[in-house]
Amino acid sequence: MSNKYKEAFEKTRIAGSIAAAALNEVSKIAKPGVKTNEIDNLCYEFLNDHGAYSAPLFYRGFPKSCCTSTNHVVCHGIPSEKVLKDGDILNVDVTALKNGWHGDTSKTFEIGEVSVKAKKLVQTTYNAMMQAIKIIKEDIHLGDIGSVIQKHVEAEGFSVVQDFCGHGIGQQFHKEPNVLHYGKKGTGEKIKAGMIFTIEPMINLGNYETKTLNDGWTAVTKDKSLSAQFEHTIGVKKDGCEIFTLSKN
């Protein structure tokens, strides 16, 4: 691997490990009775304590340090005084900016005892992401990633959100390529070793359609069905990929 890629991978690895560790801390407090603002405070302080900055904070005017998306919120939920209840599902999305490089990850937490349907949705979303990560190596097409996710998800009776996608990341928070979570095998550009991007499927229990609320950020399912999401930042290698946001626990 060229030195250029080596540096990018090393720096993303550091940022990614801090973001992943922040989610580990979230898992300890993501319980009924906790406010999403408390999760936001924890993420802000954890990143700060590890010499990192929260990339979402003030990004295009976003007011908080992480995204907290509950139940039918698909993504970009804004932490607030909202209290988590038994049976909720909650996605927390954290991006650490460290030494000029980003590590972006998210996880859907089950709050207390969740329904069988919610559990299946969360598990299917995680499995779809991991199945896509397994096929990544130089010279596969971007469409191959979307195809793997879509097939897995639709076979379980769920739908893939089409309004949001994964993205290139590095010294910029969001850049090319766009990584769609649906699509046809063999379509789209070929990926190359050294590319760094996120895979972050958002999967709905009902229809895939979403709408954005008046705050300009919060995206919800149009039919108010549950939505789950997981996200990793990965780096492409000749014969596979590295996940930069794997949890140590």
Side-chain angles (χ1 to χ4, degrees), residues 1 3-15 101 192-196 234-237 241-242 244:
M1 188 179 288
N3 282 343
K4 188 177 106 184
Y5 298 152
K6 205 170 156 202
E7 186 203 5
F9 276 36
E10 277 169 7
K11 297 225 163 130
T12 305
R13 195 177 294 129
I14 293 164
W101 292 78
K192 296 288 169 217
M195 286 174 103
I196 298 174
I234 63 101
V236 181
K237 301 201 274 199
C241 73
E242 178 178 347
F244 296 122

Side-chain angles (χ1 to χ4, degrees), residues 4 7-9 11-12 15 55 59 95-103 167-176 196-197 233:
K4 188 177 106 184
E7 186 203 5
F9 276 36
K11 297 225 163 130
T12 305
Y59 178 77
T95 308
L97 174 59
K98 170 92 173 172
N99 298 329
W101 292 78
H102 293 81
H167 53 89
I169 190 168
Q171 289 172 292
Q172 284 170 270
F173 192 174
H174 296 94
K175 60 181 196 173
E176 295 296 313
I196 298 174
F197 53 78
T233 298

Side-chain angles (χ1 to χ4, degrees), residues 108-128:
T108 297
F109 297 93
E110 297 174 7
I111 308 301
E113 285 297 312
V114 306
S115 69
V116 172
K117 268 186 180 171
K119 219 175 239 311
K120 185 184 172 193
L121 175 69
V122 171
Q123 192 60 54
T124 299
T125 306
Y126 177 77
N127 291 347

